[in-house]
Amino acid sequence: MTEPSPLDDFRRLATQPLPDRSEAIAATAAREAQLIKPPGALGRLEEIAAFLTAVTGKAPPEVTRPRVVVFAASHGIVEEGVSPFPASVNAQMLAAFRDGKAAINQLCGANGIGLSVFDLAVDVPSGNIAREDAFASDKALAGTMAFGLEAIAGEVDCLGIGEMGIGNTAVAAAVYAALYGGGAAAWCGMGAGATGALFDSKVAAVARALERVGPIDDPLTVLKRLGGREIAAMVGAILAARTQGVPVIVDGFVASAAAAVVSSIDRAAIDHCLFAHRSAEAQHRRALEAMGVRPLLDLDMRLGEGTGAALAIGIVQAAAACHGGMATFAEAGVAGKG
Amino acid sequence: MTEPSPLDDFRRLATQPLPDRSEAIAATAAREAQLIKPPGALGRLEEIAAFLTAVTGKAPPEVTRPRVVVFAASHGIVEEGVSPFPASVNAQMLAAFRDGKAAINQLCGANGIGLSVFDLAVDVPSGNIAREDAFASDKALAGTMAFGLEAIAGEVDCLGIGEMGIGNTAVAAAVYAALYGGGAAAWCGMGAGATGALFDSKVAAVARALERVGPIDDPLTVLKRLGGREIAAMVGAILAARTQGVPVIVDGFVASAAAAVVSSIDRAAIDHCLFAHRSAEAQHRRALEAMGVRPLLDLDMRLGEGTGAALAIGIVQAAAACHGGMATFAEAGVAGKG
């Protein structure tokens, strides 16, 4: 008999059946068809309204309590030379978030979005994946994933997930390579500014990590051996949001690695996720294609912090406002097609 | 001696020298380089901050009084059979704007954007361009273009331009074809829903208009003979905004036709314009390429009303908020590149 794993609860969240929302979905589709515009003229805004109803069961959909959650973590792989910034920046950026001075503070403020920042012990790096597993045990991984449940506490109705952690594009590259193949070079980009010899060193470190672990079938084992705390917490947040009916707006390259882990458990387990933007990080396009998803924005951003998610939530709010606030042809006395 | 034309004042607005803003541009660039993020990591948000300073001369740039202006007009070409909607929808949509029930009302509300709607006499269609000029005289055209000056009254610091007018994608197609060549079929899309025989009828009507006027060198003469009132008013707004230092956010296919007229007078005369989105109207991509501009958003929208502009202004506001509100490395005590 196999021992029960502390990860089993999370695996179940990925496949647990969801309530039947077909009635609400039909109601939103019916209202959409009656709004004073040519059918389909609001394009992806209409898709977003349908998506929100499918996830939440609410018709018309509403976004009144959006939140961006930023998970901050520290990575042992930094000692291999993968980033132009020192690991000490993690704690400094946490202070900037607290003081309202980082980019994500401005973007949340501009769109009326709540912001929560989780310090996943940035003073203690996770294992250097080039030499050892990121997490010492399934239990340690499960404990970090459990932060995801806190992320959706308090009736948040649209959750943006983002991260901060020097070295985490290297870790994300390792996760993608383990899930999708292709090798280290296929998944490494410049991150916060790794170019020239530093880029070569980053690719080499990721390649050593992949060689160390060999092929891995189980996505949560990929996460345990090659991931990092912010990716694990985002995996937990995506899984928790799924069964709670909370739409998730996934930020960029690193946040998408969390979605890739969940998607690899069960493709339908990311049906409640929207992808905020196509990052300027070179391999994000490949990651989005591997998941078969189309992002909302393409603004050459590559900062992380949930900045793309915050902008995308502005679009999601606008979509809900259009669907909910527009008149129907009958209400407005507007003539339909002649 | 040539008679002075009532259009000469507008031609001058396109080429009038602007104040030297190099000092402000340098100040914004210097601040951008000091903000707590890897250089370039905010991508197009950084471009937008630089753009706002270049247009307004303000460093750091601010967007505190954004406005969308919707110009509504009626088109004689509708009698040729170019749209599935009757011309009576124009007045009905004006009522919906007034009652706060159209899509643009919701989007402006969601982003805290002011909204002004100009009724350019929707009860009196402009000339049916398949048979006669849109405007009876240069004076009539100049009078309509003058509405553009009203659009930027009252210290607006970011102007979104949009439109509503059954049949106006046909008129815009004629304007593009006259400016850029390629013929009617190359510039006609489905508009509000012209498919099958209706689409063929739309292409034929635009082709008749082009045949009627023959080649035209002067962009404002293109506007007079093949344009419409909302396009003329948007041309006036773009020209007035240029010399007043007001950034303009250009909506979709029809609004871009106004920018194309201005750009054809002098390419630099649209340097103060940002293009909000790539519309789902098939030929908008071609129009943007002809002007050599890259839109901010690509959300499959094709409604008009300034809806794309309103969403893009949300991005512009966010860009200004980031640039103005973020700390510098020195202020935040964040370590730079190691």
Side-chain angles (χ1 to χ4, degrees):
Chain A
M1 232 177 83
T2 318
E3 283 281 305
S5 157
L7 301 178
D8 289 344
D9 285 346
F10 291 97
R11 290 196 180 92
R12 268 192 294 275
L13 290 176
T15 52
Q16 183 177 311
L18 299 176
D20 178 10
R21 289 168 183 141
S22 54
E23 201 171 318
I25 290 168
T28 289
R31 178 171 164 76
E32 190 71 60
Q34 290 302 314
L35 298 177
I36 48 169
K37 57 178 173 54
L42 281 174
R44 296 200 73 187
L45 299 195
E46 299 183 19
E47 290 176 25
I48 291 168
F51 160 83
L52 291 172
T53 290
V55 174
T56 64
K58 282 191 194 155
E62 285 185 326
V63 178
T64 57
R65 294 175 65 94
R67 182 192 298 165
V68 166
V69 176
V70 181
F71 296 101
S74 199
H75 299 273
I77 198 172
V78 167
E79 67 195 30
E80 304 291 323
V82 299
S83 173
F85 290 91
S88 58
V89 164
N90 292 326
Q92 292 160 354
M93 286 304 301
L94 280 174
F97 295 142
R98 184 195 61 217
D99 296 343
K101 288 302 188 183
I104 189 59
N105 300 95
Q106 319 314 316
L107 295 179
C108 286
N111 281 338
I113 300 169
L115 174 62
S116 300
V117 178
F118 286 80
D119 173 3
L120 302 173
V122 297
D123 50 340
V124 184
S126 56
N128 174 357
I129 62 169
R131 300 162 188 269
E132 62 189 332
D133 286 354
F135 293 89
S137 65
D138 285 1
K139 193 177 162 193
L141 173 58
T144 302
M145 290 168 75
F147 279 98
L149 282 80
E150 289 191 43
I152 58 164
E155 301 184 18
V156 55
D157 59 11
C158 184
L159 177 71
I161 55 171
E163 44 57 46
M164 203 284 307
I166 300 301
N168 67 8
T169 59
V171 166
V175 168
Y176 286 123
L179 295 173
Y180 297 127
W187 293 99
C188 283
M190 73 182 291
T195 54
L198 193 56
F199 178 76
D200 296 342
S201 165
K202 178 177 180 175
V203 174
V206 172
R208 281 198 299 281
L210 294 169
E211 193 181 0
R212 177 180 66 77
V213 300
I216 304 174
D217 281 338
D218 174 51
L220 291 185
T221 303
V222 169
L223 182 60
K224 174 184 150 188
R225 304 199 66 184
L226 297 172
R229 291 198 195 105
E230 72 281 69
I231 299 178
M234 290 188 287
V235 168
I238 292 171
L239 289 170
R242 176 178 181 271
T243 54
Q244 298 292 315
V246 177
V248 174
I249 314 300
V250 180
D251 193 34
F253 183 71
V254 178
S256 296
V261 169
V262 175
S263 169
S264 297
I265 299 172
D266 189 317
R267 175 57 184 80
I270 59 165
D271 284 351
H272 66 303
C273 296
L274 265 185
F275 290 77
H277 71 132
R278 179 177 295 120
S279 160
E281 180 73 356
Q283 308 305 343
H284 193 215
R285 175 187 297 266
R286 180 192 296 255
L288 296 168
E289 285 171 358
M291 286 183 274
V293 296
R294 181 181 168 208
L296 276 177
L297 302 170
D298 187 357
L299 295 169
D300 296 342
M301 293 164 62
R302 53 179 174 81
L303 179 57
E305 296 182 9
T307 49
L311 291 177
I313 288 173
I315 305 290
V316 170
Q317 290 173 307
C322 270
H323 184 87
M326 287 175 70
T328 63
F329 279 101
E331 286 163 3
V334 172
K337 286 191 188 192
Chain B
M1 232 177 85
T2 318
E3 284 281 306
S5 158
L7 300 178
D8 289 344
D9 286 346
F10 291 96
R11 290 195 180 92
R12 268 192 294 275
L13 290 176
T15 52
Q16 183 178 309
L18 299 177
D20 178 10
R21 288 166 183 143
S22 54
E23 201 172 318
I25 290 168
T28 289
R31 178 172 165 76
E32 189 71 59
Q34 290 302 314
L35 299 178
I36 48 170
K37 57 178 173 54
L42 281 173
R44 297 200 73 186
L45 299 195
E46 299 183 19
E47 289 176 25
I48 292 168
F51 160 83
L52 290 172
T53 290
V55 174
T56 64
K58 281 191 194 154
E62 286 185 325
V63 179
T64 58
R65 295 174 63 92
R67 183 192 298 166
V68 167
V69 176
V70 180
F71 296 101
S74 199
H75 299 273
I77 198 172
V78 167
E79 68 195 29
E80 304 291 324
V82 298
S83 173
F85 290 91
S88 58
V89 164
N90 292 327
Q92 292 161 353
M93 286 304 301
L94 280 174
F97 295 142
R98 184 195 60 217
D99 296 344
K101 289 300 187 183
I104 189 59
N105 301 95
Q106 319 315 316
L107 295 179
C108 286
N111 281 337
I113 300 168
L115 174 63
S116 300
V117 178
F118 286 80
D119 173 3
L120 302 173
V122 297
D123 51 340
V124 184
S126 56
N128 174 357
I129 62 168
R131 300 162 188 269
E132 63 189 332
D133 286 354
F135 293 89
S137 65
D138 285 1
K139 193 177 162 193
L141 173 58
T144 302
M145 290 169 74
F147 279 98
L149 283 80
E150 289 192 42
I152 57 164
E155 301 183 16
V156 55
D157 59 11
C158 183
L159 178 70
I161 56 170
E163 44 57 45
M164 203 283 308
I166 300 300
N168 67 8
T169 60
V171 166
V175 168
Y176 286 123
L179 294 174
Y180 298 126
W187 294 99
C188 284
M190 74 181 292
T195 54
L198 193 56
F199 178 76
D200 296 342
S201 165
K202 178 177 180 175
V203 174
V206 172
R208 281 198 299 281
L210 294 169
E211 192 181 1
R212 176 181 66 78
V213 299
I216 305 173
D217 281 338
D218 174 51
L220 291 185
T221 303
V222 169
L223 182 60
K224 175 184 149 188
R225 303 199 67 184
L226 297 172
R229 292 198 196 106
E230 71 281 69
I231 299 178
M234 290 188 287
V235 168
I238 291 171
L239 289 170
R242 175 178 182 270
T243 54
Q244 299 292 315
V246 177
V248 175
I249 315 300
V250 180
D251 194 33
F253 184 71
V254 178
S256 296
V261 170
V262 175
S263 169
S264 297
I265 298 172
D266 188 318
R267 175 57 185 80
I270 59 166
D271 283 351
H272 65 302
C273 296
L274 265 185
F275 290 77
H277 71 132
R278 180 177 295 120
S279 160
E281 180 72 356
Q283 308 306 344
H284 192 215
R285 176 188 295 267
R286 180 191 297 255
L288 296 168
E289 285 171 359
M291 285 183 275
V293 295
R294 182 182 168 208
L296 277 178
L297 302 170
D298 188 356
L299 295 169
D300 296 342
M301 293 165 62
R302 53 179 174 80
L303 179 57
E305 297 181 9
T307 49
L311 291 177
I313 288 173
I315 305 290
V316 171
Q317 290 172 307
C322 270
H323 184 88
M326 287 174 72
T328 63
F329 280 101
E331 287 163 3
V334 172
K337 288 192 188 190

